[in-house]
Amino acid sequence: MAACVLRRGLLSALNKYNKNNSLRALSFEYSDRHDIHRLRSLCAVCSLKTQHSRFLSSRNRPEGKVLETVGVFESLKQHGKYETGQLFLHSVFGYRGIVLFPWHARLYDRDVTPPAPESKPDSPGSPGSKEVKGKTHTYYQVLIDTRDCPHISQRSQTEAVTFLANHDDSRALYAIPGLDYVSHEDILPYNSSDQIPIQHELFERFLQYSPSKDSSSCPETPPFTARDTLRAWQEKNHPWLELSDVHRETTENIRVTVIPFYMGMREAQNSHVYWWRYCIRLENLGEEVVQLRERHWRIFSLSGTLETVRGRGVVGREPVLSKEQPAFQYSSHVSLQAPSGHMWGTFRMERPDGSHYDVRIPPFSLESNKDDKAPPAGYSW
């Protein structure tokens, strides 16, 4: 109800805005959820009333600096996908980014009630009580502007995409900073006249400015195209980058989204160890402030073992999910001595009055690639 009232207020303000036939500069604050929703609402209006330009500015600046124009909003894509080179704002975390390439994932949303087929009894010890059918959903591999990383580091890891190191490397894992996976609905597209609008060490290695595809003559086509190095990097690292399954479930207005990734197999003490990373996003869809206090995992391996893991918080933090900062995203890792398994569990949340409740983590499979090829190529082309 509150969201509907807020939406009506925004639309009313926008109607007044349109009647005034004036341009309006938008200033963007990374710590305020309301500004994100306001930007999304303005973008939705842009898709209907494109005769008005809406400029986007950023407050990510040293003290004393004036606001600078970042770009101009484009229409949201209700159908189809965004292309390589599309500039965007992340609608949840607020950072600037650019699309590298899309992934087509299977989204298993346990909040969607499937048609009622013939009921089947649950198998003993099964982590879920209902069958969930996946639907195709578009995600994107993106680069994060390094200027924005300090502003989101408390709510989203900026080194979340990790790889297993080569056999001759003494480090177990290495990360590519500023690489992320973004859902289609997370993207607020914009364009910019800047030939290097994103600051990231891989931007100019992966993308090039193409004057022949200037957005002024074809506003729906990004003026940035993929270099051969991006195509080669994607092809070499495809098995470890590919996003295939996404799992989602909501408990008492806390939505948990899980994306697992297979990382590869290594030999250790005459046995095979299979590695996965998983990315988790928690989102508070309600009005009440809550804090994550504990995690409880159940990890089942095809070898027949069932492990229980309990601990305080996640990745050393106990994030607060509020109306102003409703989301937290992190990545972690798990290894099994079997090529497959699955995980499920709960997060213990605390209310302001000290009471607790458990939020379900949707069960998800840990599947290995049948054909383990060479180790990830990393920064080699």
Side-chain angles (χ1 to χ4, degrees):
M1 179 66 71
C4 293
V5 172
L6 176 61
R7 191 179 298 110
R8 286 198 295 269
L10 287 170
L11 291 175
S12 174
L14 288 168
N15 287 334
K16 293 179 182 179
Y17 165 86
N18 288 326
K19 290 178 182 178
N20 292 335
N21 292 322
S22 61
L23 296 179
R24 185 174 184 178
L26 300 178
S27 91
F28 185 74
E29 180 63 62
Y30 280 83
S31 62
D32 195 332
R33 173 191 185 185
H34 294 295
D35 286 339
I36 296 287
H37 288 311
R38 192 157 170 256
L39 293 177
R40 180 179 285 281
S41 298
L42 287 172
C43 281
V45 173
C46 285
S47 66
L48 299 175
K49 300 179 180 293
T50 57
Q51 67 269 28
H52 299 300
S53 298
R54 286 163 175 80
F55 294 94
L56 170 66
S57 299
S58 171
R59 290 183 184 174
N60 286 345
R61 66 191 190 281
E63 187 175 356
K65 296 289 185 178
V66 297
L67 287 172
E68 297 178 355
T69 299
V70 172
V72 180
F73 276 126
E74 296 178 350
S75 300
L76 297 175
K77 281 198 173 183
Q78 305 297 335
H79 305 285
K81 66 180 185 298
Y82 295 105
E83 302 295 333
T84 295
Q86 176 65 62
L87 296 167
F88 70 92
L89 280 180
H90 196 292
S91 67
V92 176
F93 297 111
Y95 64 73
R96 288 164 287 183
I98 190 165
V99 171
L100 295 180
F101 42 81
W103 293 112
H104 296 294
R106 293 187 302 273
L107 173 61
Y108 296 92
D109 194 340
R110 302 180 73 84
D111 301 330
V112 177
T113 303
E118 296 181 4
S119 60
K120 297 180 180 179
D122 295 330
S123 59
S126 61
S129 59
K130 63 180 180 179
E131 181 181 359
V132 181
K133 293 186 177 180
K135 64 177 182 179
T136 302
H137 194 74
T138 303
Y139 279 73
Y140 301 93
Q141 195 89 62
V142 305
L143 293 180
I144 303 173
D145 194 311
T146 55
R147 294 170 293 185
D148 298 338
C149 289
H151 301 276
I152 65 172
S153 60
Q154 295 302 310
R155 291 187 289 154
S156 179
Q157 290 175 313
T158 57
E159 295 186 354
V161 180
T162 52
F163 296 90
L164 285 178
N166 296 336
H167 290 282
D168 56 355
D169 196 323
S170 59
R171 296 173 299 173
L173 299 170
Y174 68 90
I176 299 180
L179 198 63
D180 199 6
Y181 293 86
V182 174
S183 177
H184 185 84
E185 62 267 21
D186 287 337
I187 286 185
L188 298 176
Y190 72 93
N191 61 63
S192 171
S193 58
D194 191 345
Q195 295 188 17
I196 308 179
I198 299 295
Q199 290 189 12
H200 191 286
E201 61 178 323
L202 297 178
F203 178 82
E204 291 186 86
R205 295 189 189 184
F206 283 169
L207 300 160
Q208 60 186 349
Y209 184 73
S210 301
S212 60
K213 296 176 62 177
D214 193 304
S215 60
S216 62
S217 59
C218 185
E220 297 300 321
T221 303
F224 302 97
T225 56
R227 293 182 184 271
D228 291 340
T229 49
L230 175 58
R231 299 186 188 96
W233 184 77
Q234 180 186 5
E235 182 179 353
K236 289 180 180 180
N237 292 286
H238 185 278
W240 295 270
L241 286 172
E242 182 179 11
L243 180 157
S244 58
D245 295 342
V246 180
H247 304 264
R248 180 185 294 167
E249 185 169 2
T250 303
T251 307
E252 295 193 33
N253 288 322
I254 303 299
R255 183 167 66 190
V256 179
T257 303
V258 184
I259 309 176
F261 300 87
Y262 177 60
M263 298 177 66
M265 181 270 293
R266 294 291 180 268
E267 294 184 6
Q269 299 179 348
N270 297 322
S271 65
H272 292 167
V273 179
Y274 299 83
W275 285 81
W276 291 264
R277 77 173 182 275
Y278 53 91
C279 179
I280 291 186
R281 184 196 292 187
L282 296 101
E283 294 177 87
N284 187 349
L285 307 179
E287 301 293 321
E288 186 178 47
V289 178
V290 295
Q291 185 170 12
L292 191 159
R293 290 300 193 185
E294 299 176 8
R295 68 188 185 278
H296 176 204
W297 282 108
R298 303 276 280 175
I299 306 170
F300 175 77
S301 171
L302 187 63
S303 63
T305 61
L306 180 61
E307 182 181 2
T308 298
V309 177
R310 293 181 181 270
R312 295 286 297 181
V314 290
V315 292
R317 301 182 188 179
E318 297 181 19
V320 175
L321 304 179
S322 64
K323 193 174 181 180
E324 291 72 32
Q325 296 190 4
F328 180 79
Q329 181 171 295
Y330 75 97
S331 288
S332 191
H333 305 85
V334 62
S335 62
L336 301 176
Q337 291 186 337
S340 65
H342 47 270
M343 296 175 62
W344 67 97
T346 57
F347 292 122
R348 175 63 58 90
M349 311 301 291
E350 183 178 13
R351 300 184 179 95
D353 62 6
S355 62
H356 298 83
Y357 66 98
D358 289 335
V359 169
R360 291 184 297 275
I361 304 171
F364 57 97
S365 297
L366 301 172
E367 301 292 343
S368 61
N369 294 351
K370 294 181 180 179
D371 181 19
D372 279 336
K373 299 179 181 178
Y379 284 96
S380 62
W381 321 112

Coordinates of all heavy atoms in Angstrom, one line a residue, residues 194-269:
D194 N 30.7 11.1 -23.6 CA 32.1 10.9 -23.2 C 32.6 9.6 -23.8 O 31.9 8.6 -23.8 CB 32.1 10.7 -21.6 CG 33.6 10.7 -21.1 OD1 34.5 10.5 -21.9 OD2 33.7 10.8 -19.9
Q195 N 33.7 9.6 -24.5 CA 34.2 8.4 -25.1 C 34.8 7.4 -24.2 O 35.0 6.2 -24.5 CB 35.3 8.8 -26.1 CG 34.8 9.7 -27.3 CD 35.8 9.9 -28.4 OE1 36.8 9.2 -28.5 NE2 35.6 10.9 -29.2
I196 N 35.1 7.8 -22.9 CA 35.5 6.9 -21.9 C 34.6 7.2 -20.7 O 35.1 7.7 -19.7 CB 37.0 7.0 -21.6 CG1 37.8 6.8 -22.8 CG2 37.4 5.8 -20.6 CD1 39.3 7.0 -22.6
P197 N 33.3 6.8 -20.7 CA 32.4 7.2 -19.6 C 32.6 6.3 -18.3 O 32.1 6.7 -17.3 CB 31.1 6.9 -20.2 CG 31.3 5.8 -21.2 CD 32.7 6.0 -21.8
I198 N 33.2 5.1 -18.5 CA 33.4 4.2 -17.3 C 34.9 4.1 -17.0 O 35.7 3.8 -17.9 CB 32.8 2.8 -17.6 CG1 31.3 2.9 -17.9 CG2 33.1 1.9 -16.5 CD1 30.5 3.4 -16.7
Q199 N 35.3 4.2 -15.8 CA 36.6 4.0 -15.3 C 36.8 2.6 -14.8 O 36.3 2.3 -13.8 CB 37.0 5.1 -14.3 CG 37.2 6.5 -14.9 CD 37.8 7.5 -13.9 OE1 38.3 7.1 -12.9 NE2 37.7 8.8 -14.2
H200 N 37.5 1.8 -15.6 CA 37.8 0.4 -15.2 C 39.0 0.0 -16.0 O 39.1 0.3 -17.2 CB 36.6 -0.5 -15.4 CG 36.8 -1.8 -14.8 ND1 37.6 -2.8 -15.3 CD2 36.2 -2.4 -13.7 CE1 37.5 -3.9 -14.6 NE2 36.7 -3.7 -13.6
E201 N 39.9 -0.8 -15.4 CA 41.2 -1.1 -16.1 C 40.9 -2.0 -17.4 O 41.7 -2.0 -18.3 CB 42.1 -1.9 -15.2 CG 41.6 -3.2 -14.7 CD 42.6 -3.9 -13.8 OE1 43.8 -3.9 -14.1 OE2 42.2 -4.5 -12.8
L202 N 39.7 -2.6 -17.4 CA 39.4 -3.5 -18.6 C 38.6 -2.8 -19.6 O 38.3 -3.3 -20.7 CB 38.7 -4.7 -18.1 CG 39.5 -5.7 -17.2 CD1 38.7 -6.9 -16.8 CD2 40.8 -6.1 -17.9
F203 N 38.1 -1.5 -19.4 CA 37.2 -0.9 -20.3 C 37.8 -0.7 -21.7 O 37.2 -1.2 -22.7 CB 36.8 0.5 -19.7 CG 35.9 1.3 -20.6 CD1 34.5 1.0 -20.6 CD2 36.4 2.2 -21.5 CE1 33.7 1.7 -21.5 CE2 35.5 2.9 -22.4 CZ 34.2 2.7 -22.3
E204 N 39.0 -0.2 -21.8 CA 39.6 0.1 -23.1 C 40.1 -1.2 -23.7 O 40.4 -1.3 -24.9 CB 40.6 1.1 -23.0 CG 40.0 2.5 -22.7 CD 41.1 3.6 -22.8 OE1 41.3 4.1 -23.9 OE2 41.7 3.9 -21.7
R205 N 40.4 -2.2 -22.9 CA 40.8 -3.5 -23.4 C 39.6 -4.3 -24.1 O 39.8 -5.0 -25.0 CB 41.4 -4.4 -22.3 CG 42.7 -3.9 -21.7 CD 43.3 -4.9 -20.8 NE 44.4 -4.4 -20.0 CZ 45.2 -5.2 -19.3 NH1 44.9 -6.5 -19.2 NH2 46.1 -4.6 -18.6
F206 N 38.5 -4.1 -23.5 CA 37.3 -4.9 -23.9 C 36.4 -4.1 -24.9 O 35.7 -4.8 -25.7 CB 36.4 -5.2 -22.7 CG 37.0 -6.4 -21.9 CD1 36.4 -6.7 -20.7 CD2 38.0 -7.2 -22.4 CE1 36.9 -7.7 -19.9 CE2 38.5 -8.2 -21.6 CZ 38.0 -8.5 -20.4
L207 N 36.4 -2.8 -24.8 CA 35.4 -2.0 -25.6 C 36.1 -0.9 -26.4 O 37.1 -0.4 -25.9 CB 34.3 -1.4 -24.7 CG 33.5 -2.5 -23.9 CD1 32.8 -1.8 -22.7 CD2 32.5 -3.1 -24.8
Q208 N 35.5 -0.5 -27.5 CA 36.0 0.7 -28.2 C 34.8 1.6 -28.7 O 33.7 1.1 -28.9 CB 36.8 0.2 -29.4 CG 36.0 -0.6 -30.4 CD 36.8 -1.2 -31.5 OE1 38.0 -0.8 -31.7 NE2 36.2 -2.1 -32.3
Y209 N 35.2 2.8 -28.7 CA 34.2 3.8 -29.2 C 34.1 3.8 -30.7 O 35.1 3.8 -31.4 CB 34.6 5.2 -28.7 CG 33.6 6.3 -29.0 CD1 32.4 6.4 -28.3 CD2 33.9 7.2 -30.0 CE1 31.5 7.4 -28.6 CE2 32.9 8.2 -30.3 CZ 31.8 8.3 -29.6 OH 30.9 9.3 -29.9
S210 N 32.9 3.7 -31.2 CA 32.6 3.6 -32.6 C 31.9 4.8 -33.1 O 30.6 4.8 -33.0 CB 31.9 2.3 -33.0 OG 32.6 1.2 -32.6
P211 N 32.5 5.8 -33.7 CA 31.8 7.0 -34.1 C 30.7 6.7 -35.1 O 29.8 7.5 -35.2 CB 33.0 7.8 -34.7 CG 34.2 7.3 -34.1 CD 34.0 5.9 -33.9
S212 N 30.9 5.7 -35.9 CA 29.9 5.4 -36.9 C 28.6 5.0 -36.3 O 27.5 5.0 -37.0 CB 30.4 4.3 -37.9 OG 30.6 3.1 -37.2
K213 N 28.6 4.6 -35.0 CA 27.4 4.2 -34.3 C 27.0 5.1 -33.2 O 26.6 4.8 -32.2 CB 27.6 2.8 -33.7 CG 27.8 1.7 -34.8 CD 28.1 0.4 -34.1 CE 26.9 -0.1 -33.3 NZ 27.2 -1.5 -32.7
D214 N 27.3 6.4 -33.5 CA 27.0 7.5 -32.5 C 25.5 7.4 -32.1 O 24.7 7.3 -32.9 CB 27.3 8.8 -33.1 CG 27.4 9.9 -32.0 OD1 26.4 10.1 -31.3 OD2 28.4 10.6 -31.9
S215 N 25.3 7.5 -30.8 CA 23.9 7.4 -30.3 C 23.0 8.6 -30.7 O 21.8 8.5 -30.7 CB 24.0 7.3 -28.8 OG 24.6 8.4 -28.2
S216 N 23.6 9.7 -31.2 CA 22.8 10.8 -31.6 C 22.0 10.5 -32.9 O 20.9 11.0 -33.2 CB 23.7 12.0 -31.9 OG 24.6 11.8 -32.9
S217 N 22.6 9.6 -33.8 CA 21.9 9.2 -35.0 C 21.1 8.0 -34.8 O 20.1 7.8 -35.5 CB 23.0 9.0 -36.1 OG 23.9 8.0 -35.7
C218 N 21.5 7.2 -33.9 CA 20.7 5.9 -33.6 C 20.7 5.7 -32.1 O 21.5 5.0 -31.5 CB 21.4 4.7 -34.3 SG 20.4 3.2 -34.1
P219 N 19.8 6.4 -31.4 CA 19.8 6.4 -29.9 C 19.6 5.0 -29.3 O 20.0 4.9 -28.1 CB 18.7 7.3 -29.6 CG 17.8 7.3 -30.7 CD 18.7 7.2 -31.9
E220 N 19.1 4.1 -30.0 CA 18.9 2.8 -29.4 C 20.1 1.9 -29.4 O 20.1 0.8 -28.9 CB 17.7 2.1 -30.1 CG 16.3 2.8 -29.9 CD 15.9 2.9 -28.5 OE1 16.2 1.9 -27.7 OE2 15.4 4.0 -28.1
T221 N 21.1 2.3 -30.2 CA 22.3 1.5 -30.3 C 23.5 2.1 -29.6 O 23.9 3.3 -29.8 CB 22.7 1.4 -31.8 OG1 21.6 0.8 -32.5 CG2 23.9 0.5 -32.0
P222 N 24.1 1.4 -28.6 CA 25.2 2.0 -27.9 C 26.4 2.3 -28.8 O 26.7 1.5 -29.8 CB 25.6 0.8 -26.9 CG 24.4 0.0 -26.8 CD 23.7 0.1 -28.1
P223 N 27.1 3.3 -28.6 CA 28.3 3.7 -29.4 C 29.5 2.9 -29.1 O 30.6 3.2 -29.6 CB 28.4 5.2 -29.2 CG 28.0 5.4 -27.8 CD 26.9 4.4 -27.6
F224 N 29.4 1.9 -28.2 CA 30.6 1.1 -27.8 C 30.5 -0.3 -28.3 O 29.4 -0.9 -28.2 CB 30.8 1.2 -26.3 CG 30.9 2.5 -25.7 CD1 29.8 3.2 -25.2 CD2 32.2 3.2 -25.8 CE1 30.0 4.5 -24.7 CE2 32.3 4.5 -25.3 CZ 31.2 5.1 -24.7
T225 N 31.5 -0.8 -28.9 CA 31.4 -2.2 -29.5 C 32.5 -3.0 -28.8 O 33.5 -2.5 -28.3 CB 31.6 -2.2 -31.0 OG1 32.9 -1.5 -31.3 CG2 30.5 -1.4 -31.7
A226 N 32.3 -4.3 -28.9 CA 33.3 -5.3 -28.3 C 34.6 -5.4 -29.1 O 34.5 -5.5 -30.4 CB 32.6 -6.6 -28.2
R227 N 35.7 -5.4 -28.5 CA 37.0 -5.7 -29.1 C 37.1 -7.2 -29.2 O 36.4 -8.0 -28.5 CB 38.1 -5.1 -28.3 CG 38.2 -3.6 -28.3 CD 39.4 -3.1 -27.5 NE 39.5 -1.7 -27.4 CZ 40.0 -0.8 -28.3 NH1 40.6 -1.3 -29.4 NH2 40.1 0.5 -28.1
D228 N 38.1 -7.6 -30.0 CA 38.4 -9.0 -30.2 C 38.8 -9.6 -28.8 O 38.6 -10.8 -28.5 CB 39.4 -9.3 -31.2 CG 38.9 -9.0 -32.6 OD1 37.7 -9.0 -32.8 OD2 39.8 -8.8 -33.5
T229 N 39.5 -8.8 -28.0 CA 39.9 -9.3 -26.7 C 38.8 -9.7 -25.8 O 38.9 -10.7 -25.0 CB 40.8 -8.2 -26.0 OG1 40.1 -7.0 -26.0 CG2 42.1 -8.1 -26.7
L230 N 37.6 -9.0 -25.9 CA 36.5 -9.3 -25.1 C 35.9 -10.6 -25.6 O 35.5 -11.5 -24.7 CB 35.4 -8.2 -25.1 CG 34.1 -8.5 -24.4 CD1 34.3 -8.8 -23.0 CD2 33.1 -7.4 -24.6
R231 N 35.8 -10.8 -26.9 CA 35.2 -12.1 -27.4 C 36.1 -13.2 -27.0 O 35.6 -14.3 -26.6 CB 35.1 -11.9 -28.9 CG 34.1 -10.8 -29.4 CD 33.9 -10.9 -30.9 NE 33.2 -9.7 -31.3 CZ 33.8 -8.6 -31.8 NH1 35.1 -8.6 -31.9 NH2 33.0 -7.6 -32.3
A232 N 37.4 -13.1 -27.1 CA 38.4 -14.1 -26.8 C 38.3 -14.5 -25.3 O 38.3 -15.6 -24.9 CB 39.8 -13.7 -27.2
W233 N 38.2 -13.4 -24.5 CA 38.1 -13.6 -23.0 C 36.9 -14.4 -22.6 O 36.9 -15.3 -21.8 CB 38.2 -12.3 -22.3 CG 38.2 -12.4 -20.8 CD1 39.3 -12.7 -20.0 CD2 37.2 -12.1 -20.0 NE1 38.9 -12.6 -18.7 CE2 37.6 -12.2 -18.6 CE3 35.8 -11.7 -20.1 CZ2 36.8 -12.0 -17.5 CZ3 35.0 -11.5 -19.0 CH2 35.5 -11.7 -17.7
Q234 N 35.7 -14.0 -23.2 CA 34.5 -14.7 -23.0 C 34.5 -16.1 -23.4 O 34.1 -17.0 -22.7 CB 33.3 -14.0 -23.7 CG 32.0 -14.6 -23.5 CD 30.9 -14.0 -24.3 OE1 31.1 -13.1 -25.1 NE2 29.6 -14.4 -24.1
E235 N 35.1 -16.4 -24.5 CA 35.2 -17.8 -25.0 C 36.0 -18.6 -24.2 O 35.7 -19.8 -23.8 CB 35.7 -17.8 -26.5 CG 35.7 -19.1 -27.1 CD 36.2 -19.1 -28.5 OE1 36.4 -18.0 -29.1 OE2 36.5 -20.2 -29.1
K236 N 37.2 -18.1 -23.7 CA 38.1 -18.9 -22.9 C 37.6 -19.2 -21.5 O 37.8 -20.2 -21.0 CB 39.5 -18.2 -22.8 CG 40.3 -18.1 -24.1 CD 41.6 -17.4 -23.9 CE 42.5 -17.4 -25.1 NZ 43.7 -16.7 -24.9
N237 N 36.9 -18.2 -21.0 CA 36.4 -18.3 -19.6 C 34.9 -18.7 -19.5 O 34.4 -18.7 -18.4 CB 36.7 -17.0 -18.9 CG 38.1 -16.7 -18.7 OD1 38.8 -17.3 -17.9 ND2 38.6 -15.8 -19.5
H238 N 34.3 -19.0 -20.6 CA 32.9 -19.3 -20.6 C 32.5 -20.3 -19.5 O 31.5 -20.1 -18.8 CB 32.5 -19.8 -22.0 CG 31.0 -20.0 -22.1 ND1 30.4 -21.2 -21.7 CD2 30.0 -19.2 -22.6 CE1 29.1 -21.1 -22.0 NE2 28.9 -19.9 -22.5
P239 N 33.2 -21.5 -19.3 CA 32.7 -22.4 -18.3 C 32.7 -21.9 -16.9 O 31.9 -22.4 -16.1 CB 33.8 -23.6 -18.5 CG 34.4 -23.4 -19.8 CD 34.4 -21.9 -20.1
W240 N 33.5 -20.9 -16.6 CA 33.6 -20.4 -15.2 C 32.8 -19.1 -15.1 O 32.6 -18.7 -13.9 CB 35.1 -20.2 -14.8 CG 35.8 -21.5 -14.8 CD1 35.9 -22.3 -13.7 CD2 36.4 -22.1 -15.9 NE1 36.6 -23.5 -14.1 CE2 37.0 -23.4 -15.4 CE3 36.7 -21.8 -17.2 CZ2 37.7 -24.3 -16.2 CZ3 37.4 -22.7 -18.0 CH2 37.9 -23.9 -17.5
L241 N 32.5 -18.4 -16.2 CA 31.7 -17.2 -16.1 C 30.2 -17.5 -16.2 O 29.4 -16.7 -15.7 CB 32.1 -16.2 -17.2 CG 33.5 -15.5 -17.1 CD1 33.8 -14.8 -18.4 CD2 33.4 -14.6 -15.9
E242 N 29.9 -18.5 -16.9 CA 28.5 -18.8 -17.4 C 27.5 -18.8 -16.2 O 27.7 -19.5 -15.2 CB 28.3 -20.0 -18.2 CG 26.9 -20.3 -18.6 CD 26.8 -21.5 -19.5 OE1 27.7 -22.3 -19.5 OE2 25.7 -21.7 -20.1
L243 N 26.4 -18.0 -16.3 CA 25.4 -18.0 -15.3 C 24.2 -18.9 -15.9 O 23.8 -18.6 -17.0 CB 24.9 -16.6 -15.1 CG 23.8 -16.3 -14.1 CD1 24.0 -14.8 -13.6 CD2 22.4 -16.5 -14.7
S244 N 23.8 -19.9 -15.2 CA 22.8 -20.8 -15.8 C 21.5 -20.9 -15.0 O 20.4 -20.8 -15.5 CB 23.4 -22.2 -16.0 OG 23.8 -22.8 -14.7
D245 N 21.6 -21.0 -13.6 CA 20.5 -21.1 -12.8 C 20.4 -20.0 -11.7 O 21.5 -19.6 -11.2 CB 20.4 -22.4 -12.1 CG 20.3 -23.6 -13.0 OD1 19.9 -23.4 -14.2 OD2 20.6 -24.7 -12.6
V246 N 19.2 -19.4 -11.5 CA 19.0 -18.4 -10.5 C 17.8 -18.9 -9.6 O 16.8 -19.3 -10.2 CB 18.7 -17.0 -11.1 CG1 18.5 -16.0 -10.0 CG2 19.8 -16.6 -12.0
H247 N 18.0 -18.8 -8.3 CA 16.9 -19.3 -7.4 C 16.5 -18.1 -6.5 O 17.3 -17.4 -6.0 CB 17.5 -20.4 -6.5 CG 18.0 -21.6 -7.4 ND1 17.2 -22.7 -7.7 CD2 19.2 -21.7 -8.0 CE1 18.0 -23.5 -8.4 NE2 19.2 -23.0 -8.6
R248 N 15.2 -18.0 -6.3 CA 14.6 -16.9 -5.5 C 13.5 -17.3 -4.6 O 12.7 -18.2 -5.0 CB 14.1 -15.8 -6.5 CG 13.6 -14.6 -5.9 CD 13.0 -13.6 -6.9 NE 14.0 -13.1 -7.8 CZ 13.8 -12.5 -9.0 NH1 12.5 -12.4 -9.4 NH2 14.8 -12.1 -9.7
E249 N 13.5 -16.8 -3.4 CA 12.4 -17.1 -2.5 C 12.2 -15.9 -1.5 O 13.2 -15.3 -1.1 CB 12.6 -18.4 -1.7 CG 11.4 -18.8 -0.8 CD 11.6 -20.2 -0.3 OE1 12.6 -20.9 -0.6 OE2 10.6 -20.6 0.4
T250 N 11.0 -15.6 -1.1 CA 10.7 -14.5 -0.2 C 10.0 -15.0 1.1 O 9.1 -15.8 1.0 CB 9.8 -13.4 -0.8 OG1 10.4 -13.0 -2.0 CG2 9.5 -12.3 0.1
T251 N 10.6 -14.6 2.2 CA 10.0 -14.9 3.5 C 9.8 -13.6 4.3 O 10.7 -12.9 4.6 CB 10.9 -15.8 4.4 OG1 11.3 -17.0 3.6 CG2 10.2 -16.2 5.7
E252 N 8.5 -13.3 4.6 CA 8.2 -12.1 5.4 C 8.9 -10.8 4.8 O 9.6 -10.1 5.6 CB 8.5 -12.3 6.9 CG 7.7 -13.4 7.6 CD 7.8 -13.3 9.1 OE1 8.0 -12.3 9.6 OE2 7.8 -14.4 9.7
N253 N 8.7 -10.6 3.6 CA 9.2 -9.4 2.8 C 10.7 -9.4 2.7 O 11.3 -8.4 2.2 CB 8.7 -8.2 3.5 CG 7.3 -7.9 3.3 OD1 6.7 -8.2 2.3 ND2 6.6 -7.4 4.4
I254 N 11.4 -10.5 3.0 CA 12.9 -10.5 2.7 C 13.1 -11.5 1.6 O 12.8 -12.7 1.7 CB 13.7 -11.0 4.0 CG1 13.4 -10.0 5.2 CG2 15.2 -11.0 3.6 CD1 13.8 -8.6 4.9
R255 N 13.5 -11.0 0.5 CA 13.7 -11.8 -0.7 C 15.2 -12.2 -0.8 O 16.1 -11.4 -0.7 CB 13.3 -11.1 -2.0 CG 13.4 -12.0 -3.2 CD 12.7 -11.3 -4.4 NE 13.3 -10.1 -4.8 CZ 12.8 -9.3 -5.7 NH1 11.6 -9.5 -6.2 NH2 13.4 -8.2 -6.1
V256 N 15.4 -13.5 -1.0 CA 16.8 -14.1 -1.1 C 16.9 -14.6 -2.5 O 16.1 -15.4 -3.0 CB 17.0 -15.2 -0.1 CG1 18.5 -15.7 -0.2 CG2 16.8 -14.6 1.3
T257 N 17.9 -14.1 -3.2 CA 18.3 -14.6 -4.6 C 19.6 -15.3 -4.5 O 20.6 -14.7 -4.0 CB 18.2 -13.5 -5.6 OG1 17.0 -12.8 -5.6 CG2 18.5 -14.0 -7.0
V258 N 19.8 -16.5 -5.1 CA 21.0 -17.2 -5.1 C 21.4 -17.6 -6.5 O 20.6 -18.0 -7.3 CB 20.9 -18.5 -4.3 CG1 22.3 -19.2 -4.2 CG2 20.4 -18.2 -2.9
I259 N 22.7 -17.3 -6.9 CA 23.2 -17.7 -8.2 C 24.5 -18.5 -7.9 O 25.5 -18.0 -7.5 CB 23.5 -16.5 -9.0 CG1 22.4 -15.5 -9.1 CG2 23.9 -16.9 -10.4 CD1 22.7 -14.2 -9.9
P260 N 24.4 -19.8 -8.2 CA 25.6 -20.7 -8.1 C 26.4 -20.7 -9.4 O 25.9 -20.6 -10.5 CB 25.0 -22.0 -7.8 CG 23.7 -22.1 -8.4 CD 23.2 -20.6 -8.5
F261 N 27.8 -20.9 -9.2 CA 28.7 -21.0 -10.3 C 29.7 -22.1 -10.1 O 30.2 -22.2 -9.0 CB 29.5 -19.7 -10.5 CG 28.7 -18.4 -10.8 CD1 28.1 -17.7 -9.7 CD2 28.4 -18.0 -12.1 CE1 27.4 -16.5 -10.0 CE2 27.6 -16.9 -12.3 CZ 27.2 -16.2 -11.3
Y262 N 29.8 -22.9 -11.1 CA 30.9 -24.0 -11.0 C 32.2 -23.3 -11.3 O 32.4 -22.6 -12.2 CB 30.6 -25.1 -11.9 CG 31.6 -26.2 -11.9 CD1 31.9 -26.9 -10.8 CD2 32.3 -26.5 -13.1 CE1 32.9 -27.9 -10.8 CE2 33.3 -27.5 -13.1 CZ 33.6 -28.2 -11.9 OH 34.5 -29.2 -11.9
M263 N 33.3 -23.7 -10.5 CA 34.6 -23.0 -10.6 C 35.6 -24.0 -11.2 O 36.7 -23.6 -11.6 CB 35.0 -22.4 -9.3 CG 34.1 -21.3 -8.8 SD 34.7 -20.7 -7.2 CE 36.2 -20.0 -7.6
G264 N 35.4 -25.3 -11.0 CA 36.4 -26.3 -11.5 C 36.7 -27.3 -10.5 O 36.3 -27.3 -9.3
M265 N 37.6 -28.2 -10.9 CA 38.1 -29.3 -10.0 C 39.6 -29.2 -9.8 O 40.3 -28.9 -10.7 CB 37.6 -30.6 -10.6 CG 38.0 -31.9 -9.8 SD 39.7 -32.5 -10.3 CE 39.3 -33.1 -11.9
R266 N 40.0 -29.6 -8.6 CA 41.4 -29.6 -8.3 C 41.7 -30.9 -7.6 O 40.9 -31.5 -6.9 CB 41.9 -28.4 -7.5 CG 41.8 -27.1 -8.2 CD 42.8 -27.0 -9.3 NE 42.8 -25.7 -10.0 CZ 42.0 -25.5 -11.0 NH1 41.3 -26.4 -11.6 NH2 42.0 -24.3 -11.6
E267 N 42.9 -31.4 -7.7 CA 43.3 -32.6 -7.0 C 44.1 -32.2 -5.7 O 44.9 -31.4 -5.7 CB 44.3 -33.5 -7.9 CG 43.6 -34.0 -9.1 CD 44.5 -34.9 -9.9 OE1 45.6 -35.2 -9.4 OE2 44.1 -35.3 -11.0
A268 N 43.6 -32.9 -4.7 CA 44.3 -32.6 -3.4 C 44.3 -33.9 -2.6 O 43.3 -34.6 -2.3 CB 43.4 -31.6 -2.6
Q269 N 45.5 -34.3 -2.2 CA 45.8 -35.5 -1.4 C 45.1 -36.8 -2.0 O 44.3 -37.5 -1.4 CB 45.2 -35.3 0.0 CG 46.0 -34.2 0.8 CD 45.4 -34.0 2.2 OE1 44.4 -34.5 2.5 NE2 46.1 -33.2 2.9

